[in-house]
Amino acid sequence: MHLVAATEEQRVQRDTLTYSEWGKLLSLDGYAAREKRLRAHPWARSDMRTWLLCGEDGGVLASCETFRTGSFLRSDEGSLVPGDSFAIASVFTEEHLRGRGYATRLMDLLAAELERQPRAQAALLFSDVGPRLYARSGYQALPAWDWHLSPAPGDPSGPVDSLLREDGLGPALGRLRHPDVPFYFWPGPAQLDWHLERGRIYVEHLGCSLPASAGATAGASTILWGLVGRSAELTVLMLDARSTSETWALLEAARREASRSGLSRVVLWEEPSHAPFLALLKGGGAFRVARDGSLPMVRPLRPGLPPVSPLLPAPRGLWV
């Protein structure tokens, strides 16, 4: 068995096979158009590859995608060393080929390939099948809890200093504090816009509107959000919360934006830095739930990377 990078023709062929797994709400033609559109997005054009595990006869046994994303390693002196990490998505084996270890072999060969990249730091994936499969290839799971907040009536701009626009993702990211941990992932504005592109594709199927804003600021705190997929939810992509009052203001604005856009709820992925403010969310239409799928798992790709820690943040903006 060997690993190869897929051609565009092979990618289109895989789209036909993976439709049954990830084509919810769309026709086969609609799913193929979605995949083509997402691959045409600037972030995917620059940083996405599709990989095939092939047998000795050249037949495809399994496939996946990788997206390069930013990451930082803190040196012993405290300075930040930028690098490349790789988010892994769409791991797929056809039903008649399952149970033979092909997905595990794919992940092992892929890790060896990624380790050869000169700036490689770590691999990240979001498992919908629990931790066991990917643990075989050295991935370790992080905590996965969500907060669900009900929509609220009112003007989203009321409780905050400003609402953010989609074309302001770069400056907004520049406001966010980087995590004070030995190693962390950090998305760029194109990566966040890729999430919003998914919402632009799905909005016509969901009976709602695209949010008019992409986030908000309150004091020194910042939140980024969007309709990002096939559920009519306002999803928080990044949250830099610096005080209880500012956190309340940002989440209240999110609830109002969800209401204005006809969305069913706000979904916030819990991060370690949110801990001081979690009590604020209890009651009043907010509750904490164990995440259903999208379990973040991390594998180091270079010697000297710190052990995977529950304190490592994995915001929704990193998901692929």
Side-chain angles (χ1 to χ4, degrees), residues 129-200:
V129 294
R132 185 175 178 181
L133 171 64
Y134 300 108
R136 298 172 189 160
S137 298
Y139 286 83
Q140 298 179 57
L142 298 175
W145 293 90
D146 293 350
W147 285 86
H148 293 172
L149 291 77
S150 61
D155 180 357
S157 67
V160 295
D161 295 333
S162 66
L163 293 177
L164 301 173
R165 294 167 50 91
E166 290 182 6
D167 58 8
L169 291 175
L173 269 175
R175 283 177 50 95
L176 271 63
R177 291 174 299 179
H178 285 223
D180 186 18
V181 292
F183 169 79
Y184 59 92
F185 304 98
W186 195 253
Q191 183 170 348
L192 297 184
D193 186 75
W194 178 86
H195 288 277
L196 302 184
E197 182 73 355
R198 289 174 54 86
R200 297 173 195 131

Side-chain angles (χ1 to χ4, degrees), residues 1 53 61-62 91 93 97-109 133 136-137:
M1 289 181 281
L53 177 70
L61 305 174
V91 179
T93 305
L97 295 172
R98 293 173 188 172
R100 307 183 193 183
Y102 293 144
T104 298
R105 184 60 175 157
L106 170 66
M107 299 304 291
D108 291 344
L109 289 176
L133 171 64
R136 298 172 189 160
S137 298

Side-chain angles (χ1 to χ4, degrees), residues 151 156 203 206-213 225 227 232-234 254-264:
V203 66
L206 294 173
C208 59
S209 302
L210 282 174
S213 62
W225 61 52
L227 171 67
E233 302 169 341
L234 189 72
R255 295 176 66 199
R256 295 182 184 188
E257 184 62 82
S259 176
R260 179 169 70 173
S261 304
L263 303 177
S264 62

Side-chain angles (χ1 to χ4, degrees), residues 281-300:
L281 301 178
K282 293 180 179 178
F287 57 96
R288 184 180 189 246
V289 297
R291 188 174 308 150
D292 181 15
S294 295
L295 175 67
M297 302 189 71
V298 178
R299 184 194 192 278

Side-chain angles (χ1 to χ4, degrees), residues 3 88 92 101 115 122 154 175 258 263 304 318:
L3 188 70
I88 299 171
F92 180 78
E115 286 171 352
R175 283 177 50 95
L263 303 177
L318 294 172

Side-chain angles (χ1 to χ4, degrees), residues 30-293:
Y31 176 72
R34 185 200 84 166
E35 293 298 283
K36 182 178 180 179
R37 181 170 168 179
L38 289 176
R39 287 197 288 265
H41 187 274
W43 182 51
R45 283 205 314 270
S46 173
D47 295 312
M48 173 192 172
R49 298 184 78 179
T50 300
W51 300 92
L52 307 176
L53 177 70
C54 296
E56 297 308 315
D57 62 355
V60 178
L61 305 174
S63 61
C64 69
E65 300 166 350
T66 58
F67 295 78
R68 184 174 57 187
T69 191
S71 56
F72 290 88
L73 175 64
R74 201 175 298 276
S75 71
D76 293 339
E77 297 77 29
S79 61
L80 292 175
V81 180
D84 293 331
S85 288
F86 299 89
I88 299 171
S90 303
V91 179
F92 180 78
T93 305
E94 293 178 68
E95 188 170 357
H96 72 279
L97 295 172
R98 293 173 188 172
R100 307 183 193 183
Y102 293 144
T104 298
R105 184 60 175 157
L106 170 66
M107 299 304 291
D108 291 344
L109 289 176
L110 179 60
E113 173 69 27
L114 298 177
E115 286 171 352
R116 289 192 282 270
Q117 304 303 307
R119 285 165 39 100
Q121 291 184 336
L124 169 70
L125 59 83
F126 296 89
S127 173
D128 289 329
V129 294
R132 185 175 178 181
L133 171 64
Y134 300 108
R136 298 172 189 160
S137 298
Y139 286 83
Q140 298 179 57
L142 298 175
W145 293 90
D146 293 350
W147 285 86
H148 293 172
L149 291 77
S150 61
D155 180 357
S157 67
V160 295
D161 295 333
S162 66
L163 293 177
L164 301 173
R165 294 167 50 91
E166 290 182 6
D167 58 8
L169 291 175
L173 269 175
R175 283 177 50 95
L176 271 63
R177 291 174 299 179
H178 285 223
D180 186 18
V181 292
F183 169 79
Y184 59 92
F185 304 98
W186 195 253
Q191 183 170 348
L192 297 184
D193 186 75
W194 178 86
H195 288 277
L196 302 184
E197 182 73 355
R198 289 174 54 86
R200 297 173 195 131
I201 293 169
Y202 274 104
V203 66
E204 65 182 90
H205 303 280
L206 294 173
C208 59
S209 302
L210 282 174
S213 62
T217 66
S221 299
T222 306
I223 191 171
L224 297 173
W225 61 52
L227 171 67
V228 300
R230 58 194 185 191
S231 297
E233 302 169 341
L234 189 72
T235 300
V236 176
L237 295 172
M238 306 285 287
L239 171 61
D240 178 11
R242 307 203 189 187
S243 73
T244 298
S245 61
E246 290 173 2
T247 304
W248 178 89
L250 294 177
L251 294 176
E252 178 64 17
R255 295 176 66 199
R256 295 182 184 188
E257 184 62 82
S259 176
R260 179 169 70 173
S261 304
L263 303 177
S264 62
R265 62 187 175 190
V266 176
V267 177
L268 167 67
W269 281 21
E270 183 177 300
E271 298 176 45
S273 64
H274 299 156
F277 312 110
L278 292 182
L280 166 76
L281 301 178
K282 293 180 179 178
F287 57 96
R288 184 180 189 246
V289 297
R291 188 174 308 150
D292 181 15

